[in-house]
């Protein structure tokens, strides 16, 4: 570290050493690496909790991994990690602690922020959530007209939507099937309309989830939902008390909105929105899966937290996964990273990770505010296999871009599912086959030997050498979901630490919010159009004309 902050990554000897190593490796082939070391598949695999993580199909050698760990050490990843777990204010642009890990520690743990132990409050909110969730699940919580709740509608956006929505989908078999759950996020009225159109207000509970309680989409949707509810219950405003609860850090705004703060579940500014679904933001999830399953999920998070905090670098899975991403972004010019779950229940998992990763690491200045001269966060994308195989895998196999990918699968289908026609083995056969095809491809000689006409051989050749990590767990349970999410949280942390960016702010979302606020009266009133740029002014004029204004 020099007086102005950390030395630029690209000027660190460990970075230069990796660059030289990359040149020496050239276009080393996975076929060669596996031929040289028949035990590579076992050697290049780690276990964390229930997750078996195979990283043998990466373009790395033992030397690569050693050099990457040297880089992490030189960048002070372990020191920053420890500071995070201790509750230090490592989110320096907002001067906040980063303590999502405190949401899942046992009650006897002590973690202090500004000299106060935060753990008792975490457990007290969890207990209140458990009581409330229990009442809704049992039918003891009655709506305004005395009927029990049948549908829970979560209104929130970003971290206040993606986490609970993803986890609800992931854990469907663990949910109370007598209750219905819907997640509304988009300010497009269609979202709320479609969620409410077949519901009975007397049996509907709204969970308004917003860290700040000032997010325009959420406040607008919640206002519309309140109107729908009150109108549907004969215009009696007092109905709100039995049909609206809030999850927020901002009691004043909750009260201003008209929700009694005794119906508010609290969390704290040291929980980032995209790291928050294991806080009270998970209330609708807890109602769905029940408090016990929710706590099992928290325990799963904690397993990986402890692993990340204590495992030595050679066996530290989030560290390894973070470093592999740095290897591809920094030394292979990879721009994107695909997350491909072979589980239909994980259909929202990659969307959730998009916010976790891209809002955290989509930065271009370092912690000292200097422009970075190296790649930061990748574009994260993907959908569940095997659907993706019949859509975009063509590019993964034969395109001109390198797309490192994570393949996630489970040994057993969840109990409830049954396996009427052997679908699960077929699903997993596809996962393993894709990893194989991506890594080893098919050479022109192999294609020709199959009798393929010469002019078709290039089209049917697969270059291989496309790197994947395979994450294999026994079954998708609440505990395992917690482990998976924590794994990615810490992977993102590692990358931000190496890139020397603040992974915990999100200033990049602000400009659009400010401009939208300014734009709205231009659309509705036609005032201020003269201040717009030429393109926007023309578009707004056309829009207003089409609206008959
Ligand atoms: O605009 C981005 C963001 O601030 C996210 O970081 C956050 O998860 C989302 O908006 C929702 O914010 P809130 O929970 O305060 O409504």
């Amino acid at each position: 570290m020099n007086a102005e902050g950390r030395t630029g990554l690209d000027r660190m000897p460990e970075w230069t050493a990796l660059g030289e190593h990359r040149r020496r490796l050239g276009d080393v082939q996975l076929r060669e690496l596996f031929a040289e070391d028949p035990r590579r598949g076992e050697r290049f695999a780690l276990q964390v909790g229930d997750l078996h993580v195979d990283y043998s199909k990466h373009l790395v050698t033992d030397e690569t991994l050693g050099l990457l760990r040297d880089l992490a050490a030189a960048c002070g990843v372990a020191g920053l990690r420890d500071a995070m777990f201790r509750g230090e204010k490592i989110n320096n642009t907002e001067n906040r602690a980063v303590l999502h890990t405190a949401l899942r520690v046992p009650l006897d743990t002590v973690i202090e922020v500004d000299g106060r132990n935060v753990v008792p409050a975490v457990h007290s909110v969890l207990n209140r959530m458990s009581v409330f969730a229990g009442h809704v699940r049992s039918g003891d919580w009655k709506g305004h007209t005395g009927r029990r709740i049948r549908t829970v509608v979560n209104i929130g956006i970003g971290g206040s939507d993606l986490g609970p929505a993803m986890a609800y989908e992931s854990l469907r078999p663990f949910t109370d099937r007598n209750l219905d759950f819907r997640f509304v996020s988009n300010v497009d009225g269609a979202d709320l309309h479609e969620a409410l159109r077949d519901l009975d207000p007397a049996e509907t509970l709204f969970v308004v989830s917003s860290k700040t309680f000032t997010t325009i989409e959420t406040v607008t949707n919640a206002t519309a939902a309140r109107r729908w509810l009150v109108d549907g219950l004969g215009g009696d405003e007092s109905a709100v008390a039995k049909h609206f609860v809030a999850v927020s850090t901002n009691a004043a705004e909750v009260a201003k909105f008209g929700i009694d703060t005794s119906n508010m579940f609290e969390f704290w500014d040291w929980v980032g929105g995209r790291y928050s679904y294991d806080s009270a933001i998970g209330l609708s999830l807890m109602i769905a899966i029940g408090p016990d399953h929710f706590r099992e999920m928290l325990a799963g998070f904690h397993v990986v937290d402890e692993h990340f905090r204590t495992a030595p670098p050679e066996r530290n899975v989030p560290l390894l996964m973070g470093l592999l991403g740095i290897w591809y972004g920094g030394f292979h010019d990879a721009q994107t990273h695909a997350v491909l779950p072979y589980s239909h229940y994980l259909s929202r998992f990659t969307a959730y990770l998009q916010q976790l990763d891209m809002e955290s690491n989509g930065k271009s200045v370092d912690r000292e505010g200097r422009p970075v001269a190296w790649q930061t966060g990748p574009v994260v994308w993907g959908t569940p296999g095997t659907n993706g195989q019949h859509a975009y895998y063509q590019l993964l196999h034969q395109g001109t871009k390198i797309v490192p990918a994570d393949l996630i699968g489970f040994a057993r289908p969840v109990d409830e599912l049954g396996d009427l026609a052997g679908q699960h083995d077929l699903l997993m056969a596809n996962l393993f086959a894709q990893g194989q095809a991506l890594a080893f491809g098919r050479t022109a000689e192999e294609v020709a030997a199959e009798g393929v006409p010469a002019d078709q051989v290039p089209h049917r050749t697969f270059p291989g050498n496309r790197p994947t990590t395979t994450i294999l767990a026994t079954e998708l349970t609440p505990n395992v979901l917690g482990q998976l999410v924590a794994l990615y949280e810490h992977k993102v942390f590692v990358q931000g630490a190496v890139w020397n960016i603040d992974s915990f702010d999100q200033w990049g979302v602000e400009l659009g919010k400010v401009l939208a606020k300014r734009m709205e009266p231009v659309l509705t009133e036609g005032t201020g159009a003269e201040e717009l740029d030429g393109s926007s002014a023309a578009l707004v004029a056309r829009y207003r004309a089409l609206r008959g204004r």
Side-chain angles (χ1 to χ4, degrees):
M1 184 102 66
N2 61 29
E4 290 125 30
R6 209 180 83 184
T7 306
L9 187 61
D10 54 343
R11 285 186 284 117
M12 292 172 78
E14 292 78 7
W15 185 264
T16 311
L18 274 160
E20 281 160 11
H21 171 71
R22 168 78 182 90
R23 276 188 288 285
R24 276 199 307 280
L25 277 183
D27 68 343
V28 68
Q29 297 293 304
L30 283 169
R31 283 182 181 235
E32 291 163 27
L33 295 175
F34 274 85
E36 279 163 19
D37 178 6
R39 292 195 52 249
R40 186 177 164 97
E42 293 136 56
R43 268 197 336 110
F44 280 22
L46 288 167
Q47 187 77 21
V48 48
D50 290 287
L51 312 176
H52 175 83
V53 180
D54 176 315
Y55 58 99
S56 60
K57 297 194 191 78
H58 280 287
L59 305 172
V60 295
T61 62
D62 288 297
E63 189 186 358
T64 323
L65 296 170
L67 290 169
L68 285 165
R69 286 193 295 266
D70 290 348
L71 179 71
C75 291
V77 174
L80 193 70
R81 173 199 65 196
D82 295 345
M84 171 176 76
F85 277 95
R86 274 198 302 271
E88 285 177 28
K89 296 190 176 171
I90 63 164
N91 173 357
N92 57 329
T93 70
E94 296 180 314
N95 192 31
R96 285 180 183 165
V98 174
L99 266 185
H100 41 277
T101 52
L103 299 169
R104 49 250 191 169
V105 292
L107 179 57
D108 56 6
T109 316
V110 176
I111 303 173
E112 292 188 347
V113 176
D114 295 328
R116 277 185 68 165
N117 182 12
V118 299
V119 180
V122 167
H123 281 264
S124 145
V125 173
L126 265 177
N127 293 340
R128 277 192 62 224
M129 289 166 64
S130 302
V131 170
F132 179 74
H135 285 160
V136 176
R137 287 164 65 84
S138 68
D140 287 348
W141 181 274
K142 302 274 190 275
H144 183 63
T145 64
R147 305 234 299 268
R148 65 169 296 175
I149 298 301
R150 300 271 173 209
T151 305
V152 176
V153 180
N154 189 84
I155 299 181
I157 198 164
S160 300
D161 165 73
L162 287 164
M166 174 280 290
Y168 170 71
E169 285 303 328
S170 303
L171 299 175
R172 273 289 184 99
F174 298 86
T175 61
D176 181 342
R177 303 285 193 169
N178 294 314
L179 289 168
D180 189 12
F181 290 83
R182 301 184 183 183
F183 295 84
V184 173
S185 55
N186 200 326
V187 77
D188 182 343
D191 198 1
L192 188 69
H193 170 75
E194 290 298 331
L196 301 186
R197 54 177 289 281
D198 58 344
L199 297 187
D200 181 345
E203 299 181 339
T204 303
L205 175 74
F206 292 95
V207 177
V208 186
S209 300
S210 174
K211 180 175 170 180
T212 55
F213 231 77
T214 55
T215 304
I216 192 78
E217 292 88 343
T218 299
V219 175
T220 307
N221 277 327
T223 304
R226 187 173 58 190
R227 168 73 38 79
W228 174 86
L229 180 99
V230 171
D231 288 354
L233 294 179
D236 187 351
E237 284 286 341
S238 70
V240 170
K242 290 291 176 197
H243 294 269
F244 273 78
V245 298
V247 179
S248 189
T249 60
N250 191 343
E253 287 295 329
V254 169
K256 205 164 113 195
F257 179 82
I259 297 178
D260 186 341
T261 47
S262 62
N263 286 341
M264 168 180 155
F265 297 85
E266 185 196 5
F267 65 115
W268 307 272
D269 75 354
W270 40 261
V271 182
R274 53 195 173 272
Y275 299 87
S276 69
Y277 96 81
D278 46 350
S279 71
I281 288 291
L283 181 63
S284 26
L285 173 69
M286 190 195 263
I287 299 171
I289 63 174
D292 291 346
H293 284 137
F294 195 87
R295 284 173 198 266
E296 282 170 26
M297 185 188 74
L298 296 182
F301 274 96
H302 186 60
V303 166
V304 175
D305 292 344
E306 284 302 281
H307 166 88
F308 179 49
R309 197 173 65 78
T310 60
E314 313 76 53
R315 285 193 285 112
N316 199 307
V317 182
L319 177 71
L320 171 82
M321 284 176 65
L323 291 174
L324 287 170
I326 282 160
W327 175 236
Y328 291 114
F331 302 96
H332 289 265
D333 203 26
Q335 306 282 322
T336 81
H337 182 95
V339 180
L340 309 167
Y342 279 71
S343 159
H344 196 71
Y345 287 120
L346 289 182
S347 59
R348 300 294 310 277
F349 190 64
T350 309
Y352 169 77
L353 292 184
Q354 285 181 322
Q355 186 197 12
L356 177 67
D357 201 322
M358 294 163 76
E359 203 173 71
S360 296
N361 285 342
K363 314 282 164 65
S364 54
V365 295
D366 68 10
R367 282 180 168 271
E368 287 77 34
R370 303 168 298 200
V372 297
W374 48 90
Q375 281 228 33
T376 61
V379 174
V380 176
W381 64 282
T383 52
T386 56
N387 296 1
Q389 290 173 210
H390 294 271
Y392 50 77
Y393 275 41
Q394 165 66 39
L395 182 148
L396 300 188
H397 286 287
Q398 290 187 316
T400 53
K401 296 171 177 62
I402 179 171
V403 182
D406 298 344
L407 307 171
I408 304 172
F410 300 90
R412 288 203 300 258
V414 282
D415 287 346
E416 184 189 279
L417 208 56
D419 198 8
L420 296 179
Q423 290 109 311
H424 195 73
D425 286 332
L426 186 55
L427 174 72
M428 291 303 290
N430 272 280
L431 182 158
F432 296 128
Q434 289 299 327
Q436 197 182 22
L438 287 163
F440 307 115
R442 172 157 294 175
T443 64
E445 294 73 38
E446 286 167 343
V447 176
E450 285 170 0
V452 170
D455 62 338
Q456 291 215 7
V457 167
H459 301 284
R460 302 212 197 174
T461 298
F462 289 73
N465 244 23
R466 317 241 156 170
T468 54
T469 301
T470 303
I471 302 177
L472 181 63
T474 314
E475 194 176 328
L476 181 53
T477 60
N479 190 285
V480 167
L481 180 68
Q483 294 181 29
L484 262 179
V485 174
L487 180 63
Y488 279 94
E489 285 178 349
H490 298 318
K491 171 204 150 168
V492 167
F493 176 92
V494 167
Q495 297 188 334
V498 170
W499 290 323
N500 194 29
I501 55 180
D502 185 341
S503 300
F504 303 102
D505 61 15
Q506 58 283 320
W507 298 107
V509 301
E510 294 306 321
L511 178 61
K513 290 185 191 172
V514 171
L515 295 185
K517 213 170 185 175
R518 235 181 264 166
M519 190 69 82
E520 203 190 351
V522 189
L523 302 190
T524 53
E525 317 294 335
T527 51
E530 61 287 352
E531 283 164 31
L532 297 177
D533 63 274
S535 164
S536 306
L539 285 167
V540 167
R542 180 166 290 261
Y543 172 84
R544 280 179 54 79
L546 290 170
R547 294 278 295 185
R549 292 182 181 145

